[in-house]
């Protein structure tokens, strides 16, 4: 199965953030603790930067590997 970069990103976001939009997750963490919220915002920014600079085939391989692990654990 071949994944586009957008599909890979959507799968990653579902695996990481589950049913919450990433931006909402950052805001939720910020509401719990401003210090942790700042770290969550930096982590989300790093995640977005990695998605932008990761070659599509490597991103696809990574996502498929995560999916396989996730399915094995289910």
């Amino acid at each position: 199965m071949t994944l586009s970069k957008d599909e890979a990103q959507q799968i990653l976001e579902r695996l990481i953030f589950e049913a919450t939009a990433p931006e909402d997750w950052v805001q939720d963490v910020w509401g719990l603790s401003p210090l942790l919220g700042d770290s969550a915002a930096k982590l989300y920014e790093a995640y977005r930067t990695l998605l932008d600079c990761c070659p599509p085939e490597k991103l696809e391989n990574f996502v498929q590997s995560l999916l396989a692990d996730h399915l094995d654990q289910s």
Side-chain angles (χ1 to χ4, degrees), residues 26 28-43:
V26 170
D28 289 347
V29 174
W30 202 288
L32 295 171
S33 164
L35 182 61
L36 292 176
D38 185 56
S39 294
K42 289 175 184 174
L43 181 61

Side-chain angles (χ1 to χ4, degrees), residues 30-60:
W30 202 288
L32 295 171
S33 164
L35 182 61
L36 292 176
D38 185 56
S39 294
K42 289 175 184 174
L43 181 61
Y44 179 62
E45 184 179 333
Y47 161 79
R48 297 290 307 170
T49 301
L50 285 171
L51 283 178
D52 289 342
C53 67
C54 186
E57 61 279 352
K58 287 192 177 199
L59 180 60
E60 179 181 354

Side-chain angles (χ1 to χ4, degrees), residues 6-71:
D6 287 338
E7 290 170 323
Q9 178 180 344
Q10 290 171 1
I11 292 169
L12 269 177
E13 287 180 2
R14 276 186 255 136
L15 287 171
I16 296 169
F17 304 106
E18 297 179 351
T20 306
E23 296 84 2
D24 293 341
W25 175 80
V26 170
Q27 290 302 315
D28 289 347
V29 174
W30 202 288
L32 295 171
S33 164
L35 182 61
L36 292 176
D38 185 56
S39 294
K42 289 175 184 174
L43 181 61
Y44 179 62
E45 184 179 333
Y47 161 79
R48 297 290 307 170
T49 301
L50 285 171
L51 283 178
D52 289 342
C53 67
C54 186
E57 61 279 352
K58 287 192 177 199
L59 180 60
E60 179 181 354
N61 290 339
F62 177 66
V63 169
Q64 292 206 10
S65 173
L66 285 176
L67 279 173
D69 288 346
H70 183 73
L71 292 174

